[in-house]
Amino acid sequence: MNADEIRFLSYYLIPTDWKIHLIDPRTNETQLEQIQQIIENAQLFAFDTETMPSFYHPNFRSNYTRHSTPYQCQSNSCVSKPSLLQVAVRSQNPNMKNVLLFDLQEVFVCSNMYFRECSTSRMIHHLIQLIFNHPYAFKLSQSIFNDLAHLKCSYVEHCFHQPKLLHVIELSDLYRK
């Protein structure tokens, strides 16, 4: 899914009071600073990840299932790497509703060492770390620990390896109760 397709879908499928932010190597510093403000003022984050097969291998999707136990690293296979980190953000202002879409395949591509060392890349790492380590905001997810284990297994970036998850609401635990 490219940026134009995401913008098209967000225009037609997302309620108009939600603002969509696509974070990829083309995101400029001004946009990243605005996103940092959104994250710092958050009261609630709702997480999900999307794996590459649903974007690039439609026939594979039917064979892919989420595991109920944390994802086990097998071969660090590119076929099952999460390609998108989706974060819905609610802030103290009820009118400010944002969706952050981190294009992980583009941001963390190993072949582009120039980008990986630039300030935009460092800022994106910092933003992801701010989300996971936010001291006050609630983190809502279906299988957040499984998703985080999958991210750790797939990417070497420190932003996935040092989370201090506080205020986690695990939907699967609520469902079981």
Side-chain angles (χ1 to χ4, degrees):
M1 184 172 290
N2 65 38
D4 291 332
E5 291 170 325
I6 290 173
R7 285 186 191 94
F8 173 82
L9 289 173
S10 67
Y11 179 78
Y12 288 103
L13 299 178
I14 306 293
T16 57
D17 56 343
W18 287 82
K19 185 168 181 183
I20 308 299
H21 305 271
L22 177 63
I23 298 105
D24 66 9
R26 296 170 293 275
T27 308
N28 66 45
E29 285 190 34
T30 303
Q31 293 168 315
L32 292 173
E33 289 169 3
Q34 292 171 346
I35 292 166
Q36 182 171 341
Q37 291 285 18
I38 291 167
I39 292 169
E40 289 173 349
N41 293 319
Q43 287 188 320
L44 174 71
F45 296 113
F47 294 93
D48 196 16
T49 58
E50 185 65 43
T51 56
M52 192 169 76
S54 64
F55 288 135
Y56 303 113
H57 304 288
N59 295 336
F60 184 85
R61 186 176 185 154
S62 62
N63 297 328
Y64 177 79
T65 59
R66 283 186 182 261
H67 305 282
S68 57
T69 58
Y71 181 85
Q72 300 297 312
C73 299
Q74 291 163 353
S75 64
N76 206 9
S77 170
C78 205
V79 173
S80 63
K81 272 188 177 182
S83 60
L84 187 68
L85 173 62
Q86 306 163 89
V87 185
V89 184
R90 295 294 301 261
S91 71
Q92 297 157 351
N93 179 346
N95 296 323
M96 291 185 62
K97 301 173 191 170
N98 293 278
V99 176
L100 310 177
L101 301 175
F102 291 88
D103 187 340
L104 302 175
Q105 294 288 323
E106 289 291 321
V107 171
F108 299 134
V109 64
C110 292
S111 61
N112 190 350
M113 291 309 291
Y114 171 75
F115 175 74
R116 292 172 65 89
E117 296 173 5
C118 76
S119 63
T120 301
S121 177
R122 285 192 299 274
M123 182 65 167
I124 292 171
H125 281 79
H126 175 69
L127 294 175
I128 292 172
Q129 212 164 14
L130 274 176
I131 291 168
F132 284 119
N133 296 333
H134 198 288
Y136 307 111
F138 287 92
K139 287 105 181 152
L140 176 70
S141 180
Q142 172 67 34
S143 304
I144 191 169
F145 299 108
N146 186 39
D147 285 345
L148 188 57
H150 198 171
L151 289 165
K152 287 179 185 180
C153 180
S154 300
Y155 299 102
V156 297
E157 280 66 29
H158 70 277
C159 55
F160 301 123
H161 292 269
Q162 300 174 340
K164 298 175 184 132
L165 291 173
L166 301 172
H167 312 296
V168 173
I169 301 170
E170 179 59 60
L171 293 175
S172 58
D173 291 344
L174 292 175
Y175 176 75
R176 278 182 241 142
K177 291 179 183 180

